Amino acid sequence: MDGRWLTVLLTLVLPAALIGLTAFYFHSNPVAIFGLMAVMIGGGFYLLTYTESFG
């Protein structure tokens, strides 16, 4: 496995599952859902700016 399926799971399934769990746990509280989306977007930007050193 070369990581393609893991990438698909992390980019498509994980955010959908997190939003679903947040909506279920907090009873569709929009503030909680917007907070979760802000955390996911911030994490995505962090991963985009993360520099990995090969050496």
Side-chain angles (χ1 to χ4, degrees):
M1 187 160 136
D2 57 0
R4 286 186 279 183
W5 287 109
L6 180 62
T7 303
V8 168
L9 288 177
L10 289 177
T11 57
L12 297 177
V13 175
L14 185 63
L18 286 174
I19 290 175
L21 286 173
T22 302
F24 176 76
Y25 186 75
F26 292 108
H27 305 289
S28 297
N29 183 356
V31 175
I33 293 174
F34 287 138
L36 174 66
M37 292 177 71
V39 167
M40 289 192 303
I41 291 169
F45 281 127
Y46 171 74
L47 289 175
L48 285 174
T49 60
Y50 181 75
T51 57
E52 185 172 339
S53 61
F54 297 100

